[in-house]
């Protein structure tokens, strides 16, 4: 199954006999909560899910967006109407990072039929709704382990192993350590390869064609590496990279704690400077 869906295909499925559950996960890094924007207009039937409060645990030593408690996440999904056998489509304001985080969490916890609306809300040409839905309770029960997850130790090994590849999905200037606007220190995990998430998509937020993504990741060594891992700042844009890799035909694991967890521990090594490749 393709991990993304076009707005036209979503409109057709929503009008069909097996409409997907729609999750609105609009979010802005460091910005205001997007619940008011959701209430002002969303895809008909979509339920709002708060990334900071419901797609992440409390920030701390595990990073700015540590994984949520699986049981708590399952309760959120059931309240949104998610069942094990029901297709799910997630969307955000267009960047795709927040939607990818929801996609990754559902995949990691065992849901087999979840896709991201390519291009997000901006791609939708149908009418929007201000009605707040009250879906029937779903039956989804999380079973973690559906796709790959790395902790700090595994990320460290992958970065220095000849048998694996660790991709840093942040902007290149943060990878180099030129600037660090959020976390304790700039730089990257030793051995990681710079692969900014921004290069996965076109200017309108849609994913580049699978063939282009495969060419990009082949140049980075991902198509030949036995194991591929991804990290970012806090496990949000990195999920977008995992999704892009899947579109390119590559299975990848997410280091969910990412740089916000890694850099919080002064005992962990930090590399700076340009990608040595």
């Amino acid at each position: 199954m393709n991990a993304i869906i076009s707005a036209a295909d979503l409109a057709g499925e929503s009008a069909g006999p097996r409409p997907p559950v729609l999750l609105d996960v609009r979010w802005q890094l460091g910005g205001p909560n997007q619940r008011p924007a959701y209430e002002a207009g969303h895809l008909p039937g979509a339920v709002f899910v708060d990334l900071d409060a419901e797609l992440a645990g409390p920030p701390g030593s595990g990073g700015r967006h540590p994984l949520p408690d699986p049981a708590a996440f399952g309760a959120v999904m059931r309240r949104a109407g998610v069942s094990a056998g029901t297709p799910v489509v997630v969307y955000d304001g267009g960047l795709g990072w927040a939607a990818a985080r929801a996609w990754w969490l559902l995949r990691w916890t065992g849901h087999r039929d979840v896709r991201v609306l390519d291009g997000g809300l901006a791609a939708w040409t149908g009418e929007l709704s201000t009605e707040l839905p009250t879906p029937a309770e779903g039956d989804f029960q999380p079973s973690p382990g559906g796709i790959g997850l790395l902790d700090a130790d595994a990320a460290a090994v992958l970065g220095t192993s000849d048998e694996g590849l660790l991709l840093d999905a942040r902007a290149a200037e943060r990878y180099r350590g030129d600037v660090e606007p959020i976390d304790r220190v700039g730089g990257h995990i030793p051995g990681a390869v710079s692969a900014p998430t921004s290069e996965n998509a076109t200017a309108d937020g849609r994913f580049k064609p699978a063939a282009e993504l495969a060419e990009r990741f082949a140049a980075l060594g991902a198509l030949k590496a036995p194991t591929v891992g991804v990290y970012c700042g806090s496990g949000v844009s990195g999920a977008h990279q995992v999704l892009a890799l899947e579109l390119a035909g590559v299975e990848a694991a997410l280091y969910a704690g990412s740089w916000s967890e890694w850099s919080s521990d002064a005992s962990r090594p930090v590399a700076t400077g340009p990608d040595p490749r």
Side-chain angles (χ1 to χ4, degrees):
M1 172 178 292
N2 200 336
I4 59 176
I5 184 172
S6 70
D9 286 346
L10 176 57
E13 289 191 17
S14 295
R18 192 168 175 256
V21 171
L22 301 178
L23 304 180
D24 183 314
V25 290
R26 278 178 274 180
W27 170 79
Q28 290 183 7
L29 176 63
N33 187 281
Q34 294 298 293
R35 175 83 191 198
Y38 161 81
E39 293 180 355
H42 51 266
L43 269 63
V47 175
F48 182 73
V49 177
D50 187 323
L51 186 149
D52 290 320
E54 298 175 320
L55 300 183
S61 60
R64 283 182 281 111
H65 292 106
L67 295 183
D69 174 75
F73 173 70
V76 169
M77 291 297 100
R78 289 191 295 275
R79 286 198 301 271
V82 175
S83 291
T86 303
V88 179
V89 172
V90 294
Y91 71 91
D92 58 23
L95 189 60
W97 294 6
R101 170 75 174 208
W103 168 86
W104 187 90
L105 279 169
L106 279 164
R107 288 285 306 278
W108 176 65
T109 52
H111 202 290
R112 298 179 179 274
D113 191 352
V114 54
R115 289 163 291 171
V116 167
L117 173 58
D118 197 20
L121 183 66
W124 182 255
T125 58
E127 293 185 359
L128 298 180
S129 173
T130 57
E131 181 180 351
L132 302 183
T134 54
E137 183 91 357
D139 64 15
F140 178 65
Q141 296 292 336
S143 180
I147 53 177
L149 173 67
L150 301 176
D151 60 13
D153 290 341
V157 170
L158 195 57
T160 57
S161 171
D162 293 335
E163 298 301 316
L165 176 68
L166 183 63
L167 299 177
D168 184 318
R170 297 171 301 154
E173 59 268 23
R174 292 184 70 191
Y175 170 91
R176 294 191 300 266
D178 298 346
V179 298
E180 182 44 63
I182 305 173
D183 295 312
R184 185 185 67 84
V185 64
H188 57 271
I189 297 174
V193 171
S194 181
T197 295
S198 59
E199 297 180 19
N200 295 331
T202 59
D204 62 3
R206 289 178 171 87
F207 281 93
K208 292 179 179 178
E212 288 187 26
L213 292 172
E215 183 178 356
R216 180 198 182 200
F217 292 123
L220 294 169
L223 271 62
K224 294 183 178 180
T227 304
V228 178
V230 177
Y231 75 95
C232 58
S234 64
V236 177
S237 67
H240 189 279
Q241 189 96 291
V242 172
L243 196 161
L245 282 156
E246 177 161 315
L247 296 177
V250 178
E251 292 185 8
L254 178 67
Y255 171 25
S258 286
W259 188 249
S260 59
E261 178 188 37
W262 183 276
S263 64
S264 69
D265 184 343
S267 71
R268 294 193 182 107
V270 171
T272 57
D275 193 324
R277 292 174 300 119

